[in-house]
Amino acid sequence: MNNQTRKLGSLQVGDTLPTLQTGSISRHTIALYAAGSSDLNPIHTDIDFAKNKAGLSDVIVHGMFVMGYLAKIGTENAPAGAIRRIKTQFRAMTNVGDNLHCTGKVTDKKTHDGAAILTWALAATRQSDGVVVATGEIDIAVGAA
């Protein structure tokens, strides 16, 4: 058992994980994500379309970009291959310039097939106004599987 696995195994229900921040999300970052994901929906890439056709004030950030940050909480705090399940619900739009605070908290700890399974509740919150833009859960296997 390595040090990371030992540390994970010592987590208890109620423990929190280090917060991740996106920093200010720029148009450039959104465009790069659109190209990399092949999600070229104009509400993410075309200001005129977003304003005139979709009724938005500007382009919006891809929901899966936000989900990626929530998943990153797992990948940065667990060994490779330990993620067993992740789910996300999108609750509000993420806008150009938003800085998201992504958090995780242990909500359950059980044993399955000889491994401890930790369930972490996840949330992405806009720093500017405290609105939660996405929530979710991730299951992490600790130890033998």
Side-chain angles (χ1 to χ4, degrees):
M1 186 180 289
N2 66 31
N3 286 339
Q4 187 176 30
T5 302
R6 261 193 284 283
K7 182 179 175 187
L8 281 174
S10 69
L11 289 174
Q12 299 299 319
V13 172
D15 289 345
T16 58
L17 303 160
T19 299
L20 292 176
Q21 292 188 42
T22 62
S24 180
I25 303 171
S26 68
R27 289 180 204 288
H28 183 73
T29 299
I30 296 168
L32 289 173
Y33 186 87
S37 68
S38 297
D39 182 349
L40 302 175
N41 185 319
I43 65 170
H44 304 302
T45 58
D46 184 331
I47 295 168
D48 291 332
F49 180 90
K51 288 181 176 181
N52 300 324
K53 301 285 184 187
L56 302 170
S57 62
D58 203 338
V59 296
I60 58 172
V61 177
H62 298 75
M64 295 307 286
F65 175 91
V66 176
M67 197 228 62
Y69 265 89
L70 292 178
K72 190 175 179 181
I73 293 173
T75 60
E76 287 197 349
N77 290 286
I83 296 174
R84 296 294 181 255
R85 176 185 69 95
I86 184 167
K87 71 177 188 175
T88 306
Q89 289 185 317
F90 305 108
R91 304 206 173 263
M93 287 186 248
T94 303
N95 304 299
V96 173
D98 282 350
N99 178 8
L100 302 179
H101 291 246
C102 301
T103 58
K105 182 177 182 176
V106 179
T107 58
D108 192 26
K109 186 175 186 177
K110 59 187 172 253
T111 303
H112 180 72
D113 292 336
I117 306 293
L118 298 172
T119 300
W120 300 345
L122 307 171
T125 305
R126 281 196 301 246
Q127 179 183 11
S128 62
D129 60 8
V131 170
V132 175
V133 299
T135 59
E137 285 185 342
I138 191 167
D139 288 345
I140 306 292
V142 180

